[in-house]
Amino acid sequence: MNTTFKMLWFEDELAWYNMETFQIKKILKEHYLQPLITHKRGDDFDIKELTGNTYDLILMDFKLADGITGDSIVSAIRQNNVLTDILFYSSDEKGMLNAVREKMPEIDGIYLTKRDYTFFTEKVKKLIDKIVKRSEDVINLRGFVLDNASDFE
């Protein structure tokens, strides 16, 4: 466990991204975590950035820049054995669900939500809470304490 929460976010609408980033930072602050959010538009996707499994959470919009869809990116992520939690969202809920159905079981282990301020923020909060709780295992906390203690010395 460390004090930085690394998130990769695929979103092409800057206004939505900015507004929700503010909300997510507030959620992370409740857990005393420093956000490190990498923003992508979809057309700048490079699987090499993900092969180290360094992100805690991936947020994926369905319809991205230049006609790219999030299901193709999620598929590439899973094909490269990256098992990071992914929240897949869209205002085109039917299109997103159809795309996911077509790519099953290739796309698995994802969470789905609507592109709606209330639903989206609440789902992100629940995922962050789950990830933090998982990392608060005694063994992880012992490593965290020892790591930070050696930094202070």
Side-chain angles (χ1 to χ4, degrees), residues 4-15:
T4 304
F5 192 89
K6 297 177 186 171
M7 190 178 318
L8 178 60
W9 194 341
F10 290 89
E11 174 59 62
D12 62 330
E13 288 186 31
L14 196 55

Side-chain angles (χ1 to χ4, degrees), residues 22-153:
F22 178 75
Q23 296 299 324
I24 290 170
K25 285 180 178 180
K26 283 185 1 184
I27 294 167
L28 291 171
K29 191 173 185 178
E30 292 172 10
H31 293 287
Y32 303 98
L33 293 170
Q34 299 168 353
L36 181 60
I37 302 172
T38 303
H39 179 225
K40 300 283 185 179
R41 295 177 26 90
D43 54 356
D44 53 354
F45 171 65
D46 183 5
I47 191 64
K48 292 174 191 165
E49 294 177 16
L50 289 146
T51 53
N53 280 319
T54 59
Y55 293 100
D56 298 302
L57 179 61
I58 299 172
L59 303 177
M60 179 71 63
D61 185 18
F62 175 57
K63 291 186 177 178
L64 296 164
D66 295 335
I68 296 170
T69 56
D71 60 310
S72 61
I73 296 174
V74 172
S75 179
I77 290 170
R78 292 299 190 235
Q79 285 175 1
N80 283 277
N81 297 317
V82 177
L83 300 176
T84 304
D85 289 327
I86 298 174
L87 178 60
F88 201 34
Y89 65 94
S90 180
S91 55
D92 178 13
E93 192 175 352
K94 288 182 183 178
M96 175 183 68
L97 292 173
N98 287 334
V100 169
R101 275 189 212 106
E102 289 175 13
K103 296 223 168 127
M104 279 296 190
E106 189 177 317
I107 294 179
D108 64 351
I110 61 172
Y111 297 90
L112 304 168
T113 192
K114 297 178 182 183
R115 183 192 189 97
D116 176 275
Y117 305 111
T118 308
F119 293 111
F120 179 81
T121 306
E122 185 60 30
K123 186 71 104 166
V124 170
K125 181 178 180 356
K126 287 178 181 179
L127 280 170
I128 290 171
D129 290 347
K130 177 189 81 90
I131 293 165
V132 168
K133 185 175 182 179
R134 182 174 49 201
S135 69
E136 288 177 338
D137 180 80
V138 173
I139 294 170
N140 290 335
L141 287 175
R142 180 179 178 275
F144 175 73
V145 169
L146 290 173
D147 182 46
N148 282 304
S150 65
D151 285 347
F152 292 131
E153 289 176 3

